Amino acid sequence: MSSSDRQRIERVPGSRRAKLTPAPGTRAEPVPGDGEAEDDAADAASTPPAGGPNDERLRRDVPPHY
């Protein structure tokens, strides 16, 4: 493997951070459709789960205040 086949570290002007060049065989642009799975997961996470037998009691109970 030659040194041109590897990722390189590049300095970012005006910043203390550095960045890596893209790995060989990859592209920096996202593939259309990559964000769709994330959107579906976010929608599922925002939907409240079905209530259980103790949910109402847990909402009424409050911890003691010291």
Side-chain angles (χ1 to χ4, degrees), residues 1-24:
M1 182 191 293
S2 68
S3 62
S4 64
D5 291 343
R6 297 182 54 130
Q7 286 180 296
R8 293 181 312 279
I9 299 172
E10 294 179 346
R11 295 188 70 115
V12 178
S15 176
R16 293 178 59 178
R17 295 191 176 255
K19 68 175 186 174
L20 287 173
T21 57

Side-chain angles (χ1 to χ4, degrees), residues 15-42:
S15 176
R16 293 178 59 178
R17 295 191 176 255
K19 68 175 186 174
L20 287 173
T21 57
T26 62
R27 297 181 310 173
E29 302 85 31
V31 177
D34 278 352
E36 292 174 7
E38 294 171 6
D39 293 339
D40 293 341

